[in-house]
Amino acid sequence: MESTFSRAFARNFLGNTPQWYKVTILAFLFINPILVLTVGPFVAGWVLIAEFIFTLAMALKCYPLAAGGLLAIEAVFLGLTRAESVYEEALANFEVILLLIFMVAGIYFMKDLLRFTFTRILVRIRSKILISLLFCFAGAFLSAFLDALTVTAVIIAVAYGFYDVYHRFASGRDSHCTHDLCNDQLVKETGRRELFEFRKFLRNLMMHGAVGTALGGVCTLVGEPQNLLIGAEMGWHFSTFFLKVAPVSMPVFVVGMLTCVTVEKFKLFNYGAELPGNIRSHLLETATAHDAGLGKCARGKLIMQGLCGVWLVVALAFHLAAVGIVGLSVIVLLAAFNGVTEEHQLGKAFEEALPFTALLVVFFAIVAVIHDQHLFKPVIDFVLNLKGQTQLAAYYAANGLLSMISDNVFVATVYISETKMHFIQMLHAVPNIGMTGEQLMDMLTDPARHRADVLATLPSEAARQVGMIMSNFDKLAVAINTGTNIPSVATPNGQAAFLFLLTSTLAPVIRLSYGRMVVLALPYTVTMSVTGLIATWYLDDIVRLVCG
């Protein structure tokens, strides 16, 4: 009986995942307490990060929530962080949690309109390069005014809809029956090669769109959560933020678009997959037949979804409410006006977002370990002690490298707060300012005041010194923003939108693994990161050139 139960527990542990994966996770759980006792919590914390990254890399073997969650729970019990710290991290990112719960569900209710629109783009534009540029540019443009996660949810819904239509056709299944999109056994032999190419084609488009969200997200105050944080600390408005960051973000944007064209034209890094002609024809036939069968009610629903899309863009662009609240309003409006009145109909909308929301809170537990154990402190101390252009480049590189393995919002939070404290001390050391450094910093970063007006109240020599200090602070803030946004495209760890894509229901369907994401992102990572580094190094020269 005991052996029977032991085998049952062994089979139940992490379900149908491979045996080697189960043994690896158990080994992690066994070795972590030993590391805490022998080499200390600092080293154990770095090992924990590596272990958590492993669970993300194996997302197609086992959704990271279970394995990563076990590591996070153990970290709390080992004292690497506290439950209160995890709560504080989650609370600090509550707006992101709201966004995931409600905005992604809101996009679900707009999927008919999205499929209607993008199907026409896909079947009528035959140039793969042009389609790729369109996806990348659309991701960038929308992310500059909306939110990267929202935009990613849109392109996921579009790609999933494309794949669902063709996979059902190739499997001989209609649109009403239940169907497993990961199972190709029902696909005819002649269609499997086309299905393989179609998956590759969709992987290409998804990565172009996802990278586009990073290209646009870095540019504006609302593009990424850390942008809002940095803007608040610096007292920058929307236009001020755009202009401060533009000397770095605009060259990176241009290079990103050129990279998109280059990898598609020369078929580099597994790009260049074309949409098979048969699939294009089937999608066009399906779209035509669907349009012909649309009645007044169906067209009315599409019109209502379009109106809600306009409301979504306007509400987010003008910050009429938190992103998640806007998403909830979309759910309410579409449920009311499109007749979604049953609970099980509403429940389907949340199936995509809630597992990732739970995983994100687990991720915050790992971030809490980084915070409580001060794992990034040696790097921060090192770059703060540098000077001039070297310090700017080091800030950019350090933020980029740390964002590849951690959450870029957390990295930006730590760096901007530590940097601001450092510059408050510098202001305090300036003679004859007539107040504390903290009071002066509050005045200089007050969005309701012009910095020149504050400097005009100081003695001339003090104003000159303070002006130079704040000019340097501005440049470091730009380096933090661009560093956390651009190089972090290297891995799904750094960008929440990338992690969302990796753990979405679409990823296993199109065989988009962690490793494939890293390879597909590599050309963008290299070209954009190097361009950002060069622009950061020559930031003063670019500003002088632009300003005449």
Side-chain angles (χ1 to χ4, degrees):
M1 179 66 75
E2 290 181 4
S3 61
T4 303
F5 266 112
S6 63
R7 284 198 297 268
F9 281 121
R11 281 197 302 269
N12 290 339
F13 179 68
L14 296 181
N16 295 322
T17 54
Q19 192 66 26
W20 64 264
Y21 184 86
K22 297 181 181 183
V23 172
T24 302
I25 297 301
L26 287 173
F28 289 164
L29 295 171
F30 176 76
I31 199 174
N32 288 339
I34 298 173
L35 290 175
V36 172
L37 293 173
T38 55
V39 295
F42 185 85
V43 175
W46 277 106
V47 172
L48 179 72
I49 292 174
E51 293 168 350
F52 188 74
I53 291 173
F54 170 83
T55 66
L56 296 178
M58 295 293 109
L60 296 187
K61 299 290 184 185
C62 174
Y63 191 76
L65 178 62
L70 287 174
L71 293 172
I73 291 171
E74 184 183 51
V76 174
F77 277 104
L78 292 176
L80 293 176
T81 188
R82 299 171 301 114
E84 292 80 4
S85 297
V86 179
Y87 175 76
E88 288 166 5
E89 290 292 340
L91 190 62
N93 290 276
F94 183 64
E95 189 169 342
V96 178
I97 293 172
L98 275 181
L99 181 154
L100 283 170
I101 295 173
F102 295 124
M103 183 58 77
V104 175
I107 296 301
Y108 174 87
F109 287 110
M110 297 175 64
K111 68 180 187 301
D112 292 337
L113 177 67
L114 296 172
R115 191 179 301 176
F116 179 87
T117 304
F118 279 89
T119 298
R120 277 141 192 80
I121 294 173
L122 192 67
V123 298
R124 290 174 183 172
I125 299 177
R126 293 189 173 271
S127 169
K128 173 66 184 309
I129 294 176
L130 185 56
I131 291 175
S132 299
L133 266 178
L134 183 63
F135 265 71
C136 195
F137 181 81
F141 181 79
L142 292 173
S143 292
F145 298 99
L146 306 180
D147 177 271
L149 281 170
T150 304
V151 177
T152 305
V154 169
I155 60 176
I156 286 173
V158 169
Y160 193 90
F162 290 155
Y163 192 82
D164 181 51
V165 168
Y166 182 73
H167 197 276
R168 286 176 181 273
F169 168 75
S171 303
R173 312 287 283 180
D174 61 38
S175 60
H176 302 292
C177 63
T178 57
H179 182 57
D180 182 6
L181 295 181
C182 295
N183 188 350
D184 295 342
Q185 291 181 356
L186 296 176
V187 179
K188 302 168 188 175
E189 193 62 37
T190 54
R192 293 196 177 185
R193 181 62 192 173
E194 290 182 342
L195 196 61
F196 176 83
E197 285 298 313
F198 192 33
R199 287 195 189 106
K200 189 176 178 182
F201 175 82
L202 289 178
R203 288 197 297 267
N204 289 177
L205 291 189
M206 292 307 299
M207 287 305 297
H208 289 313
V211 170
T213 64
L215 285 171
V218 67
C219 296
T220 66
L221 186 66
V222 298
E224 293 283 354
Q226 66 266 29
N227 299 13
L228 280 169
L229 173 76
I230 292 169
E233 292 287 352
M234 301 302 299
W236 292 344
H237 294 288
F238 189 94
S239 58
T240 307
F241 185 98
F242 176 81
L243 293 173
K244 292 283 187 183
V245 176
V248 179
S249 62
M250 288 298 103
V252 170
F253 177 80
V254 172
V255 168
M257 291 297 155
L258 291 174
T259 303
C260 178
V261 173
T262 302
V263 295
E264 286 294 340
K265 184 174 180 59
F266 297 102
K267 301 184 185 301
L268 304 174
F269 296 92
N270 290 321
Y271 285 103
E274 297 288 345
L275 178 64
N278 287 342
I279 295 180
R280 185 190 301 276
S281 299
H282 175 69
L283 291 175
L284 181 58
E285 289 171 9
T286 303
T288 304
H290 181 265
D291 291 352
L294 284 178
K296 292 288 180 65
C297 286
R299 293 180 186 276
K301 288 181 179 180
L302 287 177
I303 292 171
M304 193 62 215
Q305 289 177 27
L307 292 174
C308 281
V310 173
W311 155 248
L312 179 67
V313 172
V314 171
L316 292 178
F318 289 95
H319 311 293
L320 300 183
V323 180
I325 302 302
V326 174
L328 178 59
S329 71
V330 169
I331 295 172
V332 171
L333 290 171
L334 289 177
F337 289 97
N338 283 352
V340 183
T341 57
E342 297 181 13
E343 186 177 2
H344 73 275
Q345 292 178 299
L346 292 167
K348 289 180 181 178
F350 295 90
E351 289 177 359
E352 176 78 11
L354 289 182
F356 181 71
T357 306
L359 175 62
L360 195 66
V361 176
V362 169
F363 188 55
F364 292 151
I366 307 302
V367 172
V369 172
I370 296 172
H371 201 171
D372 288 352
Q373 299 304 322
H374 308 289
L375 299 186
F376 292 169
K377 191 175 188 302
V379 182
I380 295 172
D381 291 343
F382 173 74
V383 296
L384 277 174
N385 289 323
L386 298 175
K387 303 293 181 185
Q389 288 176 303
T390 305
Q391 187 183 47
L392 271 178
Y395 253 72
Y396 175 88
N399 276 273
L401 289 171
L402 294 176
S403 291
M404 290 179 190
I405 60 173
S406 179
D407 173 39
N408 54 9
V409 178
F410 168 74
V411 174
T413 302
V414 172
Y415 261 89
I416 195 66
S417 58
E418 293 288 336
T419 303
K420 192 169 187 178
M421 286 301 301
H422 178 73
F423 275 86
I424 285 173
Q425 294 171 7
M426 292 179 66
L427 289 176
H428 192 71
V430 175
N432 302 320
I433 59 173
M435 65 190 83
T436 66
E438 185 173 3
Q439 290 172 328
L440 181 55
M441 178 63 80
D442 288 342
M443 294 171 64
L444 291 166
T445 56
D446 184 348
R449 297 188 180 194
H450 291 290
R451 187 176 294 178
D453 295 338
V454 177
L455 293 176
T457 63
L458 302 174
S460 58
E461 180 58 23
R464 186 186 67 80
Q465 293 183 44
V466 169
M468 291 176 60
I469 290 171
M470 292 305 295
S471 175
N472 193 34
F473 187 26
D474 287 347
K475 287 182 282 188
L476 290 180
V478 171
I480 293 170
N481 180 72
T482 53
T484 52
N485 275 294
I486 298 168
S488 58
V489 301
T491 70
N493 307 44
Q495 291 273 351
F498 279 44
L499 187 61
F500 181 45
L501 173 58
L502 175 67
T503 56
S504 69
T505 53
L506 176 69
V509 163
I510 63 173
R511 311 300 192 263
L512 184 61
S513 65
Y514 188 101
R516 272 183 170 152
M517 284 191 75
V518 171
V519 171
L520 289 168
L522 184 59
Y524 284 109
T525 303
V526 173
T527 57
M528 290 161 52
S529 298
V530 171
T531 303
L533 181 62
I534 293 171
T536 302
W537 182 270
Y538 292 107
L539 186 58
D540 282 336
D541 296 333
I542 295 172
V543 171
R544 281 196 293 269
L545 181 66
V546 172
C547 295

